[in-house]
């Protein structure tokens, strides 16, 4: 709770903006699980829709940006690999669609 009070009483508008950006990034990243869950429930089996990868990539890039701002090497390393994997999955999906078209 102390961190929240610090944010709410932050002297820096920029710092508050970064915290809000970080929260939005986490919501975007978490949204991928909602997308996957809804798609699986509709189909009656576990599926990973393309939207899952877009949410993953957008949330991952946003979280990586936030981690770079925070200069947190653990957070940066964790998000860097994920962003590469999400991008690669989208590349493979679109390459397959192009071949099948």
């Amino acid at each position: 709770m102390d961190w929240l009070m610090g944010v709410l009483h932050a002297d820096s508008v920029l710092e508050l903006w970064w915290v809000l950006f970080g929260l939005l990034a986490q919501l975007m990243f978490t949204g991928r699980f909602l997308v996957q869950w809804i798609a699986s429930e509709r189909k009656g089996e576990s599926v990973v829709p393309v939207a899952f990868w877009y949410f993953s990539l957008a949330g991952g890039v946003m979280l990586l940006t936030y981690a770079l701002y925070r200069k947190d090497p653990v957070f940066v390393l964790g998000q860097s690999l994920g962003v590469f994997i999400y991008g690669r999955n989208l590349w493979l999906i679109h390459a397959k669609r192009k071949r099948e078209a």
Side-chain angles (χ1 to χ4, degrees), residues 18-55:
W18 274 107
V19 170
L20 292 173
F21 178 82
L23 289 170
L24 178 62
Q26 188 59 53
L27 286 172
M28 177 68 74
F29 197 69
T30 301
R32 70 195 189 132
F33 293 116
L34 294 173
V35 165
Q36 191 273 333
W37 177 42
I38 291 167
S40 293
E41 288 296 330
R42 286 183 177 165
K43 192 150 187 185
E45 64 182 275
S46 182
V47 296
V48 180
V50 176
F52 173 89
W53 297 112
Y54 280 109
F55 271 83

Side-chain angles (χ1 to χ4, degrees), residues 1 10 26 37 57-58 75-76 87 89-90 92:
M1 193 62 149
Q26 188 59 53
W37 177 42
L57 184 61
F75 197 8
V76 169
N89 273 290
L90 284 168
L92 292 170

Side-chain angles (χ1 to χ4, degrees), residues 48-81:
V48 180
V50 176
F52 173 89
W53 297 112
Y54 280 109
F55 271 83
S56 297
L57 184 61
V61 167
M62 290 171 72
L63 285 170
L64 178 59
T65 302
Y66 184 72
L68 289 168
Y69 170 74
R70 291 284 174 214
K71 298 177 183 166
D72 183 330
V74 174
F75 197 8
V76 169
L77 182 61
Q79 289 303 316
S80 297
L81 179 60

Side-chain angles (χ1 to χ4, degrees), residues 5-23:
M5 296 309 292
V7 168
L8 294 175
H9 293 99
D11 294 329
S12 170
V13 173
L14 181 62
E15 184 64 23
L16 180 58
W17 185 89
W18 274 107
V19 170
L20 292 173
F21 178 82
L23 289 170

